[in-house]
Amino acid sequence: SDFIATLTKNKPAWWIARYVKGSFSYAEGLVYPAATANIVPYFEIPKWWKRIVAYDYGLVDKSAFIFGAVDELANLLYIYKEIITDNKNIEDLAKLYHEGVADIPSGGMICAPIIDPKSGPKRDYDKKTLSDHFLEYNIAFQPGDINVDARIFRLNTYFVSGRIKIMDNCPYLIKELSDYKFKADENAENGLQDRPEDKNNHAINALEWIVMKLPADPKNLVGGIYSSSGRRLDAQAAIRRDLNKSYAIDIFREKEEDADTNEGFYGINNVW
């Protein structure tokens, strides 16, 4: 009569729910439970969609290049390509990157490609970094965001709001998302720690860095390019272009009137 009471004595709630009551609501522990609901068939993306690329390196572990494209009209981020490899040197990795971005037109990138922030110098004597090595092959990476909690919240926001779609030609990323879980902890009330297991997440890390470079609110994908702080980049560029045009007429008029000294031209240029 006391079988259940004896069995569950000093056991946490998640353990009782899973092993006694047959509930798996506590057992899943997935970091991105809504990810699999956002998988779509592959299609060829339009050339004018802006692209964003991130890379998480590995030596024995996998290296993962993840490619995203923004459909501004539909307000969606599509992950349309992955390149997964291991045991490659810098030259081979650079070749894979250049092959992966070969279809991106000039000016088609939202920002510089992103890499693990740990690839930069950690101490003063670390003069040569992984990013420096890639520079020798004409790849200028920028560091991704290091805060894991912020990355998880941002990417989950994208998944839950349906503003990100992963094409089914990215099986490695999909597999990682399906298996990525929080650490088990029998002493915790729900049987889980707040931190995910730090393994089999190279493609996921790259995906997190991508969404961290896009707007915090996915609806701001419409109509422009934004920095991680939410500042509209293309609008500022448009203002500068318009101002440049308005000054251009005066600049060349001044230059024509004072061709000997060019004082008018350089004076206005310095003000601008």
Side-chain angles (χ1 to χ4, degrees):
S1 61
D2 63 346
F3 173 75
I4 292 179
T6 302
L7 183 66
T8 58
K9 185 178 180 179
N10 299 323
K11 294 290 193 281
W14 71 268
W15 192 95
I16 297 172
R18 177 174 181 179
Y19 294 110
V20 179
K21 298 182 179 180
S23 170
F24 282 82
S25 60
Y26 286 96
E28 293 298 330
L30 290 175
V31 179
Y32 297 113
T36 54
N38 289 279
I39 299 171
V40 297
Y42 170 79
F43 62 90
E44 187 173 347
I45 62 172
K47 290 184 177 180
W48 59 86
W49 284 8
K50 292 291 186 180
R51 319 291 180 87
I52 185 166
V53 183
Y55 169 61
D56 193 17
Y57 65 88
L59 298 174
V60 177
D61 292 333
K62 297 292 186 182
S63 281
F65 292 94
I66 299 298
F67 299 77
V70 174
D71 179 358
E72 293 182 295
L73 295 179
N75 189 21
L76 289 172
L77 167 66
Y78 282 93
I79 303 302
Y80 68 96
K81 186 193 300 183
E82 65 177 17
I83 298 177
I84 310 298
T85 186
D86 56 15
N87 293 317
K88 291 288 192 302
N89 58 47
I90 298 293
E91 183 175 356
D92 289 339
L93 290 170
K95 183 178 179 181
L96 288 174
Y97 170 83
H98 285 300
E99 290 174 351
V101 301
D103 64 328
I104 302 177
S106 178
M109 295 280 284
I110 291 174
C111 61
I114 311 159
I115 199 172
D116 190 332
K118 297 192 294 293
S119 66
K122 301 178 180 63
R123 300 176 181 86
D124 290 341
Y125 56 79
D126 286 342
K127 299 301 183 183
K128 197 78 168 180
T129 68
L130 181 60
S131 295
D132 293 328
H133 287 307
F134 277 111
L135 274 174
E136 297 175 354
Y137 295 92
N138 300 317
I139 305 172
F141 280 110
Q142 63 171 316
D145 292 86
I146 197 168
N147 190 302
V148 176
D149 292 340
R151 284 154 40 185
I152 291 173
F153 274 112
R154 178 71 66 87
L155 183 51
N156 259 320
T157 299
Y158 269 60
F159 279 131
V160 173
S161 65
R163 295 306 182 191
I164 180 172
K165 303 298 178 184
I166 300 175
M167 295 190 183
D168 58 10
N169 65 323
C170 301
Y172 189 87
L173 173 59
I174 293 170
K175 179 67 164 58
E176 281 195 348
L177 289 166
S178 301
D179 296 339
Y180 196 42
K181 297 183 179 182
F182 290 102
K183 293 180 180 178
D185 184 356
E186 292 192 1
N187 297 319
E189 183 178 353
N190 63 353
L192 301 168
Q193 294 183 9
D194 286 337
R195 288 276 172 156
E197 298 175 349
D198 189 17
K199 62 179 183 179
N200 301 323
N201 58 354
H202 287 274
I204 289 175
N205 287 339
L207 178 59
E208 291 171 343
W209 295 326
I210 284 176
V211 298
M212 287 294 287
K213 292 299 179 185
L214 296 176
D217 188 345
K219 71 175 181 290
N220 288 331
L221 286 171
V222 172
I225 302 170
Y226 293 77
S227 69
S228 57
S229 64
R231 184 168 61 90
R232 179 77 175 270
L233 300 180
D234 61 326
Q236 295 298 320
I239 292 172
R240 288 195 296 271
R241 285 195 301 271
D242 291 342
L243 288 173
N244 233 350
K245 290 175 182 176
S246 65
Y247 280 120
I249 296 174
D250 294 333
I251 287 171
F252 288 105
R253 182 181 297 120
E254 288 289 340
K255 186 174 182 180
E256 184 179 355
E257 291 175 355
D258 198 359
D260 293 332
T261 64
N262 284 333
E263 288 179 359
F265 174 77
Y266 288 112
I268 293 176
N269 194 45
N270 287 338
V271 171
W272 169 242

